Amino acid sequence: KQAQATLEQLARYEEYITAWMISGPYTKGRADAAALFDIPFPPEKDGGKQATWRLIPAGTNRDHPYLIELHRVFPGSERVAYLRGSVWSENGQNARMEIGSDDGVKVWLNGEAVHANNVIRANAPNEDKVNVSLKKGWNRILVKVTQGSGEWSFCLRFCTPEGGKLEGLRAEPGDAS
């Protein structure tokens, strides 16, 4: 029964990307999270080549295994972190990217800015919904998440434009292309 419950829980969250590289934290003087949102740091410049990247642990929250808990890696306030990952799509297809963040979030897909929401909020999975086009093969994802204070987390999943399961996807941390 326990194994079956674990498999059911994994199935509920299998669409979430949990394999990420992280860079940060980044700060600038006394700039708060709202100001940091618009300041480009090394991951946004020159393809992130000047940034230092490392794997971030996934599944640190047993009740919410899809959450990437940034505060466990970079405790503190008024800062920014970047996540980098890749998703493989068997075909070129339209998709919906559903994002949850605590606090603000910017997302680039294949080098193109596709979403920006400069907010102070608690993470609510799938709160931001963005229609995107995935190309056949590897699709690069760069995410910037700001931190005001308190907890700091992020989650992202791809689904069909109607919210259903998107077949033929797999994720890798970093830039797999």
Side-chain angles (χ1 to χ4, degrees):
K1 287 183 180 181
Q2 185 178 9
Q4 182 61 35
T6 300
L7 288 173
E8 289 171 7
Q9 183 175 11
L10 289 172
R12 280 197 312 264
Y13 302 118
E14 71 181 334
E15 297 166 357
Y16 284 88
I17 310 294
T18 57
W20 297 97
M21 299 291 287
I22 190 167
S23 182
Y26 295 94
T27 61
K28 186 154 190 174
R30 295 181 178 260
D32 66 5
L36 293 169
F37 188 82
D38 292 319
I39 298 171
F41 292 99
E44 288 182 62
K45 302 175 186 177
D46 192 27
K49 293 176 185 162
Q50 301 302 313
T52 301
W53 297 94
R54 64 181 176 133
L55 280 171
I56 183 168
T60 55
N61 186 320
R62 184 180 177 140
D63 295 328
H64 306 288
Y66 54 87
L67 278 183
I68 305 300
E69 295 184 305
L70 302 169
H71 60 274
R72 293 189 186 271
V73 180
F74 298 135
S77 301
E78 311 305 341
R79 54 197 49 226
V80 169
Y82 291 83
L83 298 108
R84 182 171 74 174
S86 297
V87 65
W88 173 268
S89 179
E90 291 291 329
N91 302 299
Q93 58 187 320
N94 292 325
R96 185 167 72 200
M97 187 182 324
E98 297 186 345
I99 306 156
S101 66
D102 178 347
D103 290 309
V105 62
K106 281 187 184 182
V107 181
W108 294 262
L109 180 64
N110 296 319
E112 178 185 339
V114 294
H115 181 65
N117 193 358
N118 191 359
V119 294
I120 300 294
R121 65 180 178 190
N123 190 336
N126 314 330
E127 188 165 30
D128 296 349
K129 294 176 173 67
V130 183
N131 290 324
V132 297
S133 293
L134 296 174
K135 65 181 185 178
K136 180 179 180 174
W138 288 109
N139 294 267
R140 294 170 297 135
I141 308 164
L142 178 67
V143 180
K144 179 179 188 176
V145 185
T146 60
Q147 164 64 342
S149 62
E151 292 185 0
W152 187 19
S153 64
F154 162 78
C155 59
L156 181 147
R157 78 179 192 126
F158 286 97
C159 57
T160 67
E162 300 77 32
K165 183 173 178 155
L166 198 60
E167 299 294 334
L169 293 186
R170 73 176 192 263
E172 294 287 333
D175 185 359
S177 57

